[in-house]
Structure formats: structure tokens, C-alpha cells
Amino acid sequence: MSSSASPSPDGAAERPQERLHPQEHTHLQEHFDRTIAKDQRIEPRDWMPEGYRKTLVRQIAQHAHSEIIGMQPEGDWITRAPSLRRKAILFAKVQDEAGHGLYLYSAAETLGADRQDLTERLIEGRQKYSSIFNYPTPTFADVGVIGWFVDGAAICNQVPLCRSSYGPYARAMVRVCKEESFHQRQGYELLMTMMRGTEEQRAMVQDAVDRWWWPSLMMFGPPDEDSPNSAQSMAWRIKRHSNDELRQKFVDMTVPQAEKLGVTLPDPELRWNEERGQHDFGRPDFTELMRVIKGDGPCNAERVGRRRTAHEEGAWVREAAAAHAAKQARREEKEHAA
Ligand code: BYC
């Protein structure tokens, strides 16, 4: 944590009270509002309302935590992948997720958050991560379905975030989305291969589809009428579409892909609505979403426990890196003085 900041309950370091003349504050607020209205970017050095900064730290930290926790369900299959090719692909994908987490923690740092502090908030259950990563991966078909559904949902949600009003977040999303597209295709290609295989493999794919469909729809968050953050986040252009709009987009994108693959999506209410030009679909069980978010999903304890162990076991690496950086700085100081 920087010396000019002190901890606040949400991980967004509290900035020292700015002693601004009320007129100056009004001027800065007007400039901020104009920048947002013109669809231009807010950058780290720009003045921003405290609520805007805290909302970004909340969303970006949650997003970073999701990428890091999200390595676990698929990572479990690296040692058991059925071929060298599948192992190499999965390795690359899980590594990409680590990279996404790191860009996102860096983006949160530009807002004054501290990475160590954010990690501690995650493992103490004070910050959230996506509900989707609290479901188990009992078969290799789960790896394919995560790529198809979860990365597909991530693309729907994150492509609009490339136009988010905060510069570092929007720019991180460009790279992340390119990689998510590759992830989605690898998942779909894996499922295509399995569907061309044996009866048992086809049944495995259908079973994974049945288990992941509803949790994937829940990834988009509560319905719009129960989403406390959406209105303000959309006014600030942090979020560009509502949770329900993105859920609809995902359904419309996925239905033809399911048909081509030869699987059935487990929703008896799913049908094309000619009038709306979109699919009608059933309502996800949002009480399950809330239960999982609160920590009571099938794998919450396992996921957070593993993250805690990894963090504790990595303490010596952080200490060694800090000692090396301090030594380097002392050497440079000496060289300057000489
Ligand atoms: N899970 O007012 P709302 C990936 C929380 S990584 C858990 O609608 P908001 C990938 C929400 O935080 C996928 N919590 O909130 C990685 C809020 O609680 P707080 C992650 C959820 O922020 C590896 C409360 O419920 N993607 O793709 O306007 C492998 C009320 O919700 C969930 C991102 O993080 C949930 N599903 O909208 C493969 C994308 N839904 O914080 C793939 C960026 C809601 O007020 N994030 N909550 O205590 C977003 O777009 C938005 O934060 C959300 C929620 C749409 C998720």
C-alpha cells in the first residue's frame, strides 16, 4: 500500500481527503462528466469521483480473482489430459488465465489498490470471484464445455468492456478478449472431436452441457431489476450493457452452436421468438446464484482453500523478489552517487 493511502473496507485505498475549493471540485466533476459523455477515456492521473474509483476497484479485483481461481477447475485436468496435444493446449489456456489475472491486478493498482491486500481480501472471503468456478469438473468433457460456455460468456461480457471508460481496464480487455476467443474455439473443437467419437463420449458431452448450462447463464449476474450496481456503472460507462442484455446475447449466440454440435440445451422453454428476433428462455435459479456467491456452492471451500495454500507457499518467492529489488535499488543508488 502506498504511503499516501490507508486501507478501506473494499480494497480501494482511501485517498487522503482532497482539499479542494468547492468551485474547483465542481470544475473537475464537470470535466469528468464531459469526458464520459464524449465517450473518451479516464486515465489514472485524471481526477475521478471516489465512487467511480471504488466501483472500478471492486469490479476489476473481482474479475482478476475470477481469472486466478478460474485456473483451478480446468487445471485439475492438466496431468490427466488424454493426449500430449490436449495437455499442451490446456496448459497454454490455464497459463493465459494467470496472465489475465496479472493484467487485471495491474489495472487495479493504477487506482491505488494493493495487490497483496486484494489477495488477502479474496482468501478471507471479503471480495468475490465469479460463481461459475465453484462447480466441479468430473470429466474431460467439462474442459470442452468450460471453453465453449464459460469463455463464450466471458467474450459476450468482456468485448463491450474493451470500450469501458477507464483506460487501463479497457486496454487490458483487448488482449484478454483475443485470448478468450482462442479458448472458446479450443473448447468447441474438443467437443466436436468427442461428438465424432463413441456413444459414451457423446453422452459425456451431453452430461457436461446439462450441468454447465444454467451456471453459465448465472455468470452474467442477477436480473436487471435486482442488480444494485448496474445503473450507476452504466451511467459511468464502466459497464456498457445490462446483465440481462448480455445473457440474451449469449443464448442467441450459443443456440445455433449447440445445434451444429448435436447437443440439447437443458431448457424446455428455449425457443426462437420471431417477433422479438431473439430466443425466449427459462429463468435461471437466482437463489442458487446468491447461495454460491455467499460461499455455499459445491466447491467454494476447496477453491479458496487452495488459493490460500498457494499464497502461503509463495511467501518466500515474494520475499526473495522484494529483497532482490531492494539490493538492485541500493546498487543503482551507489552507482549514481559515484
Ligand atoms: N459471481 O449489481 P450486480 C472468465 C455480485 S472470468 C459472483 O449486477 P455488477 C474466465 C456482484 O459483484 C469471469 N458474484 O454487479 C476465467 C455484486 O456484488 P458486490 C469474470 C457476482 O458488478 C477463467 C452483486 O453480485 N468476469 O471469464 O454490476 C477461465 C450484485 O450484482 C456474480 C468478470 O468479472 C457472479 N456471477 O455486475 C475462463 C467480468 N454476478 O460486488 C473464463 C467483469 C454478480 O456489490 N465483471 N455478482 O458485493 C462484470 O461484468 C460485472 O461485475 C458482473 C456483475 C456482470 C459480473
Side-chain angles (χ1 to χ4, degrees):
M1 185 113 13
S2 80
S3 55
S4 62
S6 62
S8 88
D10 64 355
E14 205 77 70
R15 295 259 157 104
Q17 202 56 43
E18 289 167 276
R19 288 210 188 82
L20 292 174
H21 190 277
Q23 226 170 351
E24 196 182 354
H25 185 274
T26 308
H27 173 74
L28 288 167
Q29 178 74 52
E30 281 170 359
H31 182 73
F32 173 86
D33 293 342
R34 267 198 309 276
T35 308
I36 298 285
K38 282 193 282 186
D39 233 344
Q40 287 174 349
R41 295 269 164 81
I42 305 296
E43 295 296 339
R45 283 170 204 273
D46 294 340
W47 181 90
M48 60 187 84
E50 194 53 21
Y52 177 83
R53 196 173 67 81
K54 284 189 170 174
T55 296
L56 277 167
V57 171
R58 178 184 66 77
Q59 177 165 327
I60 297 173
Q62 183 175 312
H63 195 164
H65 298 328
S66 304
E67 297 282 358
I68 298 297
I69 294 272
M71 295 165 73
Q72 291 185 35
E74 293 166 281
D76 278 344
W77 279 97
I78 290 175
T79 55
R80 297 178 290 160
S83 68
L84 183 60
R85 177 171 177 267
R86 292 291 169 199
K87 192 195 278 268
I89 293 171
L90 187 53
F91 226 134
K93 178 183 194 284
V94 172
Q95 224 164 23
D96 284 350
E97 282 151 11
H100 299 173
L102 299 184
Y103 308 145
L104 286 161
Y105 283 127
S106 299
E109 282 174 328
T110 66
L111 292 153
D114 176 79
R115 192 179 298 215
Q116 167 100 357
D117 178 54
L118 296 179
T119 302
E120 281 162 13
R121 285 169 196 275
L122 167 68
I123 59 187
E124 287 163 11
R126 289 185 287 136
Q127 266 179 351
K128 298 184 170 77
Y129 60 93
S130 181
S131 52
I132 194 71
F133 302 114
N134 293 305
Y135 292 86
T137 45
T139 74
F140 198 66
D142 291 282
V143 169
V145 171
I146 289 178
W148 178 30
F149 284 171
V150 177
D151 288 281
I155 292 166
C156 286
N157 171 271
Q158 290 167 32
V159 166
L161 292 176
C162 298
R163 293 185 298 115
S164 177
S165 58
Y166 188 57
Y169 190 32
R171 288 189 287 274
M173 282 302 105
V174 173
R175 169 98 180 250
V176 168
C177 285
K178 282 186 186 156
E179 292 177 350
E180 302 291 28
S181 298
F182 155 68
H183 295 169
Q184 201 236 8
R185 276 152 198 249
Q186 72 78 34
Y188 196 71
E189 188 266 346
L190 164 57
L191 297 176
M192 277 285 196
T193 307
M194 289 186 80
M195 291 301 282
R196 283 194 297 265
T198 63
E199 205 45 60
E200 207 185 343
Q201 284 175 307
R202 277 190 285 279
M204 212 187 262
V205 174
Q206 183 62 57
D207 170 64
V209 166
D210 291 346
R211 286 181 289 107
W212 287 92
W213 176 248
W214 293 107
S216 300
L217 292 189
M218 292 173 205
M219 267 181 87
F220 294 95
D224 292 350
E225 65 275 17
D226 296 328
S227 165
N229 300 301
S230 277
Q232 182 61 75
S233 288
M234 286 173 73
W236 276 329
R237 301 192 182 177
I238 293 172
K239 272 169 90 161
R240 310 293 304 218
H241 300 285
S242 78
N243 299 355
D244 286 332
E245 282 167 6
L246 294 172
R247 200 170 357 254
Q248 176 76 55
K249 192 165 186 257
F250 173 72
V251 171
D252 292 334
M253 177 181 100
T254 310
V255 169
Q257 295 170 350
E259 277 163 18
K260 180 121 182 63
L261 194 59
V263 294
T264 309
L265 297 173
D267 178 358
E269 294 175 47
L270 185 63
R271 62 182 58 85
W272 178 251
N273 183 324
E274 194 65 57
E275 225 168 278
R276 291 200 304 123
Q278 290 174 323
H279 291 86
D280 290 337
F281 57 99
R283 186 177 165 87
D285 180 356
F286 290 112
T287 54
E288 175 179 323
L289 172 65
M290 288 307 149
R291 214 174 42 244
V292 176
I293 291 179
K294 287 196 179 116
D296 196 18
C299 302
N300 295 61
E302 182 188 330
R303 302 288 186 239
V304 174
R306 216 156 159 199
R307 182 69 195 92
R308 182 182 300 112
T309 305
H311 185 61
E312 285 165 5
E313 288 178 352
W316 70 271
V317 180
R318 294 190 295 278
E319 280 162 24
H324 178 72
K327 197 166 105 182
Q328 205 76 2
R330 275 197 305 275
R331 190 175 295 158
E332 273 169 29
E333 215 171 284
K334 242 192 212 164
E335 278 168 10
H336 265 293

